[in-house]
């Protein structure tokens, strides 16, 4: 079945460090891929998306490229801030059932000043 | 534009009781999905409704049910509550289901 694998956390970085959170997926079709962020006590916020191979999603300095050949969608940011501290979720939706998202386990990011 | 609104934010129940959670989607969104979030199982899909019809259901027991009204608002019901039902229940909406989902802040359900 479809699945998403994320790197284990927590990830602890100093402010202005480079961030990479790895995400790989298994899907039978051609899924859309998403990154969501969850701040303490809140729901999930859509961070970025990509709907087909080689698409690059970007938002608020975060980027991720849909790599079909490696079935990956790694999240990157060139310079993290303390305010980026949150839990990040990689997710996919498979076209036959596009509203049913499969989520990774989440990666907690802590950025130190 | 108002976001997805879930009520109540917090609930405390005891085993054996039942509970109803409410979700008001973003105006114009007709697809509403429900997810359960727990530390052990992560985020799991419960079910999705579109135009008052359940289109898909996740792997949860029949104690979990839902419905959607003509104004697209949705409710989720859990009967005969168990300790393992303690979780954050998230609702998400999108125009028709194929677009990115927008999530509410969730209802945190605690079972004593």
């Amino acid at each position: 079945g479809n699945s998403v694998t994320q790197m284990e956390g927590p990830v602890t970085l100093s402010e202005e460090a480079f961030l990479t959170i790895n995400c790989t997926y298994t899907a039978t079709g051609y899924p859309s891929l998403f990154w969501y962020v969850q701040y303490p006590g809140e729901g999930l916020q859509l961070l970025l998306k990509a709907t087909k191979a080689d698409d690059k999603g970007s938002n608020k300095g975060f980027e991720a490229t849909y790599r079909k050949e490696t079935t990956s969608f790694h999240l990157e940011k060139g310079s993290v801030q303390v305010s980026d501290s949150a839990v990040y979720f990689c997710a996919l939706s498979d076209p036959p059932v596009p509203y049913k998202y499969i989520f990774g386990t989440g990666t907690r990011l802590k950025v130190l000043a | 534009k108002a976001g997805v609104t879930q009520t109540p934010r917090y609930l405390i129940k005891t085993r054996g009781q039942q509970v109803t959670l409410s979700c008001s989607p973003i105006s114009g969104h007709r697809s509403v999905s429900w997810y359960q979030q727990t530390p052990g199982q992560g985020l799991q899909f419960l079910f999705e409704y579109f135009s008052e019809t359940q289109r898909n259901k996740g792997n949860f027991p029949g104690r979990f049910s839902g419905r959607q009204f003509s104004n697209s608002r949705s409710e989720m019901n859990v009967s005969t509550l168990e300790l393992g039902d303690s979780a954050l229940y998230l609702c998400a909406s999108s125009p028709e289901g194929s677009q990115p989902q927008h999530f509410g802040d969730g209802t945190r359900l605690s079972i004593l």
Side-chain angles (χ1 to χ4, degrees):
Chain A
N2 298 340
S3 66
V4 175
T5 302
Q6 279 183 246
M7 62 187 286
E8 293 266 344
V11 173
T12 303
L13 297 172
S14 298
E15 208 166 22
E16 298 184 5
F18 185 86
L19 168 72
T20 299
I21 300 178
N22 290 338
C23 170
T24 57
Y25 68 90
T26 302
T28 52
Y30 297 91
S32 292
L33 301 173
F34 310 89
W35 277 101
Y36 281 85
V37 59
Q38 186 175 37
Y39 298 99
E42 298 183 9
L44 277 67
Q45 296 178 23
L46 177 65
L47 185 57
L48 52 84
K49 66 178 175 72
T51 57
K52 60 183 187 298
D54 300 324
D55 266 1
K56 176 185 281 190
S58 61
N59 185 27
K60 300 180 182 179
F62 291 90
E63 293 183 341
T65 301
Y66 189 141
R67 302 286 189 198
K68 193 170 187 304
E69 64 276 12
T70 55
T71 61
S72 64
F73 193 55
H74 304 321
L75 182 68
E76 296 182 335
K77 187 176 186 184
S79 176
V80 295
Q81 305 300 311
V82 171
S83 57
D84 294 327
S85 298
V87 181
Y88 292 81
F89 292 90
C90 184
L92 68 80
S93 71
D94 211 15
V97 189
Y99 44 79
K100 179 180 178 180
Y101 283 20
I102 307 296
F103 285 89
T105 52
T107 302
R108 183 175 300 278
L109 170 66
K110 180 183 283 190
V111 180
L112 304 176
Chain B
K1 200 173 189 181
V4 177
T5 303
Q6 292 188 248
T7 56
R9 288 295 310 276
Y10 302 93
L11 265 178
I12 299 175
K13 294 286 186 180
T14 57
R15 281 181 298 173
Q17 289 186 309
Q18 74 165 23
V19 67
T20 299
L21 313 182
S22 179
C23 172
S24 294
I26 291 171
S27 178
H29 286 193
R30 295 191 293 163
S31 169
V32 175
S33 298
W34 288 88
Y35 293 83
Q36 181 194 65
Q37 185 178 23
T38 60
Q41 299 298 317
L43 280 149
Q44 293 188 289
F45 173 80
L46 279 157
F47 32 63
E48 187 263 1
Y49 286 87
F50 179 79
S51 293
E52 302 179 65
T53 300
Q54 186 184 89
R55 293 195 291 190
N56 208 291
K57 183 174 164 64
N59 189 25
F60 280 83
R63 300 184 297 107
F64 291 81
S65 63
R67 60 178 175 168
Q68 186 180 37
F69 302 94
S70 58
N71 62 358
S72 294
R73 189 177 70 86
S74 178
E75 289 182 347
M76 191 191 92
N77 184 276
V78 188
S79 62
T80 319
L81 287 165
E82 301 177 358
L83 291 177
D85 297 333
S86 293
L88 180 66
Y89 290 88
L90 292 164
C91 167
S93 76
S94 71
E96 294 183 359
S98 58
Q99 300 84 355
Q101 296 180 354
H102 298 268
F103 284 79
D105 285 338
T107 294
R108 183 162 298 281
L109 175 62
S110 299
I111 311 302
L112 305 180

